[in-house]
Amino acid sequence: MLKQFVRDNRFALVTLIVVVLARIGFDQWADGISAPPLDAPIAVSSGGGLDQRIRIRAPDRYGLELSFRADARGMDHLRGLVGDGSYDAQHKRIPSGVPIPVRWSLSEADSGKIVAQGDTETFGSSSWSSGEISRDFDRFGVPPGEYRFQARITRAVPEFAGIQAHM
């Protein structure tokens, strides 16, 4: 009975298997292409750093941000440290919150050639959710490939002690 069903419907079954495999493959591809190339913890309060190999999968403009999770002191305390995202009449960000100095570079993994870098004093917030506040601090565009990302908080910022930060 089953053998007869398979024989009679083999084209439909092969088509179904191909569609299911294509769907699984598409989901894997979509997750890989849309996942951020970097999501790593960094110690802001003690002036920590990152040195990580990353893969850029698509040509795009990428934004760098610090994301902070509220600790036991709550979101109001975190909002006070990070600041707000206000702009003046000329559409320039108004500095607010505790500044965090960040120096970063992106280099080709094989040659070591630096393709993007920055040295900035970050301030204010760019986005927030119920338990996290983010601060954008730079943007870059590079072609797809393997890279080495390095970043350092260039001086300790003790006001952020106990607060988890990701870059």
Side-chain angles (χ1 to χ4, degrees), residues 71-93:
D71 64 0
R73 295 171 285 187
M75 284 297 286
D76 288 337
H77 176 74
L78 183 58
R79 253 189 294 278
L81 290 174
V82 178
D84 60 28
S86 300
Y87 290 84
D88 65 15
Q90 287 76 38
H91 303 289
K92 288 192 174 208
R93 301 260 335 253

Side-chain angles (χ1 to χ4, degrees), residues 104-123:
W104 65 273
S105 68
L106 186 70
S107 56
E108 294 176 344
D110 53 355
S111 71
K113 177 185 169 196
I114 293 177
V115 294
Q117 63 185 344
D119 192 353
T120 186
E121 187 93 2
T122 72
F123 58 86

